[in-house]
Amino acid sequence: MPILLAFQSFLAAIGAAVLGLCATTGSLAIFTGASVMHVFRPPWYPAEIGRQLLRIGYFSLPVVGLTAFFTGAALALQIYTGGARFNAEAVVPSIVAIGMVRELGPVLGGLMVAGRVSASIAAELGTMRVTEQIDALTTLSTNPYKYLVAPRLMAATLAMPVLAFVGDIIGIMGGYVVGTARLGFNPGAYINNTWNFLTFEDISSGLVKAAVFGFIIALMGCYQGYHSGRGAQGVGRATTNAVVSASILILASNYILNEMFFAS
Amino acid sequence: MTGVTDIPRIEMRGVKKAFGSKRVLEGVDLTVAKGESLVIIGGSGTGKSVSIKTIIGLIEPDEGDILIDGKSILGARGSSRDALLSRFGMLFQGGALFDSMPVWRNISFRLLQGRNRLSADDARDLAIEKLRRCGLGPETADLFPAELSGGMQKRVGLARAIAAEPEIMFFDEPTAGLDPIMATVINQLIRQVVSEMGATAITITHDMRSVVEIADQVAMIHQGCVQWHGPVSDVENSGEPHMDQFIHGREDGPIEAVR
């Protein structure tokens, strides 16, 4: 009998986990649908959108720029030493460029912004939930989805491609600095190789990916913050969940987007 | 009481609400006449806040109906809900001031939205006037909520609640955490704005001094039901054991001290 009871408990735990997952997925889907609907329906709050563009976009530039620079620099070193095994050192500019533009610029930029912005949004909305500020918004005839969620979604979706583009340029510069100062590449040849190798599709696919990542970052921050539990612990958990879920979704959606863009 | 009509301004009919297995409201029936100030008392966790949040629409009841001026408001969406909310004003227990904006923007927040929004200058002037009415000087207008004391935050919250001169006002524990002098100031302010504006008000409190200073009518909620409802003058002689125990703060009685 104890074995049977233990087996029942085991099955119950699995069932509870599956039900919890289904409930969260449903809740997230409803939240996403409502949020997107409010992005397209007036009233809009331009001042709030501008404020979020500044917070999410402008103030993330140093983090994204530094990440991109060192990633480009490290990539150049790695490609050079790896390429040397089959006498292909000359591919450094091309591989750095395509690696940054297609993959590392948007993904690493996205992950860095997820850590910075998703956490900040979740903490802000979570605190607003705990201190009844979100309820207060409702009583003041203001829809929290329109005032809090939609501006953040719009700002992150618009700002992330710009951040990724700037990150691409700085990342390629990082490769250029290492390539010319450390690996002996000719500066003009390095730039020519980079410029001639990249196609419009390489750049645009990276920017589309960045826009999707921006949407995910803001969505997870808003969702976790909006549904934050009570007290400091609840807000802390919302912040952690926002960063973890945004990061996982960025990596998962990155694979799906790569399949869509490049599989053929 | 002023302007009392046959149709109550606010009516709750058999309102029930549970959160998971915890049943908070078990059939609340309550009426508030136009221009009347009702104070709801009761122990912690008995469903007082949930009751007013169901009226405002922040919480959807599981059963029952809520009527404003005889019309059900459950299921109100879009413009009809906006119109309804524009008639409400609420002072939250913790103030719930938006800490990202200065005091004057908090107060005139509602008036800065929508088609008929005020200009920033007019909104600021109005906020300063409401601050003055709540006993705060114009220098408070440019401070942020984090720079205010608890009593000042309550008064700013009150100024925000009355800024658009709503017909129906809700005050959730307006004197909680305040010293006795500040509590009296807040009680008098509430009584004053309710009387002057002719608004209908529901106040939640544990503070018996607030009951005396604010209420026309008093309702006691216990275990999710209204145990007693009557005029404030009858509170001392209600003859209802829950009520007697609560207002005298006795440990012995039908209300369990350890809940």
Side-chain angles (χ1 to χ4, degrees):
Chain A
M1 282 304 278
I3 295 172
L4 187 66
L5 281 174
F7 185 64
Q8 279 180 339
S9 303
F10 175 67
L11 284 181
I14 293 174
V18 171
L19 285 174
L21 184 67
C22 291
T24 306
T25 308
S27 162
L28 179 60
I30 291 167
F31 185 86
T32 307
S35 305
V36 171
M37 189 184 75
H38 286 294
V39 165
F40 292 104
R41 281 170 56 179
W44 293 288
Y45 295 92
E48 197 57 23
I49 296 167
R51 209 165 69 92
Q52 295 307 326
L53 272 172
L54 200 68
R55 266 183 65 186
I56 297 171
Y58 183 72
F59 291 123
S60 295
L61 269 174
V63 173
V64 171
L66 284 169
T67 305
F69 183 84
F70 289 118
T71 304
L75 193 60
L77 275 179
Q78 288 283 12
I79 303 297
Y80 185 80
T81 51
R85 292 177 195 169
F86 40 94
N87 299 321
E89 297 94 330
V91 297
V92 168
S94 326
I95 303 293
V96 167
I98 202 166
M100 284 307 303
V101 168
R102 277 192 181 188
E103 197 67 21
L104 295 174
V107 173
L108 287 184
L111 290 174
M112 294 308 287
V113 176
R116 187 186 167 273
V117 171
S118 216
S120 144
I121 292 175
E124 186 181 11
L125 266 62
T127 306
M128 288 184 77
R129 165 66 69 201
V130 170
T131 56
E132 296 185 303
Q133 290 179 53
I134 293 181
D135 288 344
L137 268 180
T138 306
T139 63
L140 293 167
S141 311
T142 303
N143 187 320
Y145 278 89
K146 279 196 195 303
Y147 189 77
L148 295 175
V149 181
R152 283 163 176 78
L153 282 180
M154 289 160 97
T157 310
L158 290 173
M160 210 37 226
V162 179
L163 283 173
F165 187 69
V166 174
D168 291 347
I169 294 168
I170 295 175
I172 289 169
M173 266 183 59
Y176 169 86
V177 169
V178 169
T180 54
R182 171 106 164 69
L183 306 175
F185 279 87
N186 174 279
Y190 192 102
I191 290 171
N192 267 339
N193 275 350
T194 302
W195 186 253
N196 293 332
F197 186 72
L198 283 179
T199 64
F200 175 74
E201 283 73 23
D202 293 331
I203 298 168
S204 61
S205 65
L207 299 186
V208 170
K209 278 162 65 168
V212 174
F213 300 160
F215 179 81
I216 288 170
I217 290 164
L219 180 72
M220 296 322 294
C222 290
Y223 175 77
Q224 298 292 350
Y226 200 87
H227 295 96
S228 167
R230 287 184 175 184
Q233 204 175 23
V235 177
R237 197 176 299 123
T239 308
T240 307
N241 288 346
V243 177
V244 171
S245 54
S247 302
I248 291 170
L249 284 175
I250 283 172
L251 295 172
S253 63
N254 180 51
Y255 173 74
I256 295 166
L257 290 166
N258 278 343
E259 282 283 359
M260 286 166 62
F261 288 130
F262 307 118
S264 59
Chain B
M1 272 191 284
T2 55
V4 179
T5 62
D6 290 342
I7 300 172
R9 172 126 288 179
I10 303 168
E11 187 173 3
M12 297 176 79
R13 284 187 193 160
V15 173
K16 292 185 181 178
K17 181 67 191 175
F19 297 99
S21 59
K22 186 175 167 53
R23 287 149 64 181
V24 180
L25 302 183
E26 304 227 44
V28 172
D29 294 293
L30 206 56
T31 56
V32 191
K34 188 181 175 190
E36 189 174 81
S37 174
L38 170 76
V39 172
I40 301 177
I41 57 174
S44 300
T46 51
K48 304 184 301 294
S49 292
V50 174
S51 295
I52 61 170
K53 285 183 177 176
T54 56
I55 299 171
I56 300 167
L58 294 173
I59 294 174
E60 206 168 323
D62 299 329
E63 282 180 52
D65 203 357
I66 293 164
L67 301 97
I68 301 287
D69 295 331
K71 289 178 189 161
S72 174
I73 58 165
L74 293 183
R77 297 278 182 276
S79 56
S80 59
R81 179 162 160 73
D82 289 344
L84 194 65
L85 284 170
S86 70
R87 299 174 65 189
F88 294 159
M90 176 150 180
L91 169 62
F92 286 84
Q93 188 177 348
L97 301 175
F98 306 127
D99 41 28
S100 61
M101 52 184 81
V103 162
W104 75 266
R105 276 199 176 271
N106 263 284
I107 293 170
S108 50
F109 184 86
R110 177 182 269 164
L111 304 164
L112 287 164
Q113 318 293 331
R115 283 184 194 151
N116 302 320
R117 70 174 76 101
L118 297 180
S119 69
D121 286 343
D122 289 345
R124 197 171 185 285
D125 290 345
L126 184 137
I128 289 171
E129 164 56 22
K130 298 297 175 191
L131 279 173
R132 187 197 58 73
R133 197 165 174 188
C134 292
L136 291 168
E139 69 282 357
T140 316
D142 293 317
L143 298 176
F144 279 81
E147 298 173 275
L148 305 175
S149 68
M152 288 167 85
Q153 287 191 14
K154 278 270 156 80
R155 285 196 268 179
V156 172
L158 184 59
R160 183 173 70 180
I162 63 170
E165 308 206 341
E167 298 166 40
I168 300 168
M169 291 198 273
F170 302 91
F171 304 103
D172 189 357
E173 308 220 11
T175 57
L178 298 181
D179 64 72
I181 297 168
M182 189 54 67
T184 303
V185 170
I186 295 284
N187 287 338
Q188 286 172 352
L189 276 170
I190 290 174
R191 185 68 247 183
Q192 194 184 345
V193 295
V194 169
S195 302
E196 284 177 12
M197 291 165 55
T200 306
I202 298 183
T203 306
I204 291 173
T205 189
H206 293 117
D207 181 355
M208 290 313 294
R209 271 184 57 200
S210 294
V211 174
V212 174
E213 289 174 11
I214 296 174
D216 295 320
Q217 294 278 316
V218 179
M220 187 195 175
I221 293 186
H222 179 64
Q223 292 185 332
C225 293
V226 176
Q227 291 288 340
W228 186 83
H229 185 187
V232 67
S233 53
D234 291 353
V235 163
E236 287 287 340
N237 310 305
S238 67
E240 209 287 323
H242 294 85
M243 190 73 182
D244 281 345
Q245 184 190 354
F246 188 83
I247 64 168
H248 295 112
R250 285 197 295 263
E251 202 175 334
D252 300 328
I255 304 172
E256 289 175 33
V258 180
R259 293 189 288 272

